[in-house]
Amino acid sequence: ETSDPAVMHIDLQLLLDIVTLAIAASIFGLVAVFLGLPPTAGFLLGGMMIGPSCWNLVEEVKQLQTLAQFGSIFLLFEQGLLYAQTYTSGLSRPQQMVQRKTSRTDDHDPSVVGVIVLAILVLSSVIIFFTSGAVKSLLDAILLSVSVSICSSAVVTENIYAAGIADTVWAKRLNKMVAIQDLFMVPLLAIPELIGTLMEENGTFFDFMFYIISAALFLKGSVMFAPQTVNAAVIAESRMAHGELFTLSIVAYALMMATISEELNFSIEAGAVLAGIVLLNSPHIPKIRESIKPIKSVFGGMFLTSLGMIISPAFVINQSASIACLVVFIALFKTVVVSSTMYSFFDYPLSASVAFGGSMAQISEASLVVMAKAQRHGFVNRKTYLMLIPTTCILLILAPLSKSTLRLLKSQEDDDCLPICPRWITRCLHLRNYTFKHGVENKSDESSYESPRSNNHHRTPNELRKISRSH
């Protein structure tokens, strides 16, 4: 039967489902915050309770999850904006070149450290997943390993502010190390969709090259088009009394980038992240983040709640022992790998290495999207996927525990000497090197020997740190 276009049609059941989802997200999110947990934990728990595996309060699940997909777009758009804001220096290109020449050569670039740490995490995870038989091929192991290795930059930023170290050098380094991972979210979100499409269409090498060329043209056009769109929105807002048009323009820009990416078979989510990343060095990023915050909060909470509807309470209870072991293993694995890498290869102090490792021990919410795509295309088996969903939720719940170690970094901040060693390590290293170098020549004349301890007593902590580093 043809509908009358002159009459407004409303799907009351879908409207009721949206209200149910919003109420569940609000109630369980508030309960989580009052208990000192991140709201993400409440959203996922609320979705699990109203989902088809528990109370079954939602009728039109497919339509509701389609609507909630807007939340993934704005959440990932926010991730891209966070990367762009973290790496926006506010300096011109000549000023950046001068800053690089005058910077200390002994300080490691946090972005380089972040890439190396991520590479070691992924390589170690690939070996574990591939040898344990959890995946069918090397590609599956790589996708799963990258998903587990990437942590949430938004969660790390919240913990930094909660720990009261947002203005310290350590916080800036940690933010840059984590934000660089958002850059890898674009290919990570696009690869499962692209490979799945090629497999379904029996694509050839020429089809693959066509997609590569399309991706390059899309990236080039985005870099040229994005700043012009934002500047036009800012100019239009300056001529109006209110900023509704600016918010609408930014929302339309993010949705358009996501839609073009989907039409090119690179996935909606990859386009959303790219929409934020290409705004690098734009002076309007804080304004953009502020304008989309209410939309991101509403749709983002609904999206995470809809993800929770996938979780089955019965499955979680039956596999509780395996899930607990997986949570402990991933948390310890990421903490140990990150801490040992930073302590051994980049001379970070032990306390800072452990604090950074603990902050990066959780798994990003965006990894849930990646794992869902990988499972849909057959790259990850269903049981592994269902095990990793509650594991990710529990790790996000435990993420605020890293605030206690982050607070210790505030007392170790030293802009003149980074990275620095704890004082007791510095004194031991100086004593050992002093004895090794001067012990032989002072042995013949013990009366002229001056104790290193007494010599160190008159040195300042900064002098001791510099001496230990020179050795």
Side-chain angles (χ1 to χ4, degrees), residues 39 111 208 257 342 395:
S111 59
F208 177 74
M257 290 284 290
M342 298 180 64
L395 288 173

Side-chain angles (χ1 to χ4, degrees), residues 352-405:
S353 301
V354 173
F356 281 31
S359 300
M360 300 170 66
Q362 31 83 15
I363 301 177
S364 174
E365 309 96 321
S367 297
L368 295 173
V369 180
V370 178
M371 289 186 283
K373 289 181 175 294
Q375 192 272 334
R376 187 172 70 245
H377 292 290
F379 299 126
V380 178
N381 63 65
R382 179 177 176 81
K383 183 177 180 180
T384 303
Y385 169 62
L386 294 177
M387 291 275 289
L388 287 174
I389 292 178
T391 300
T392 303
C393 301
I394 295 173
L395 288 173
L396 289 173
I397 292 173
L398 299 177
L401 296 178
S402 63
K403 292 185 293 187
S404 58
T405 56

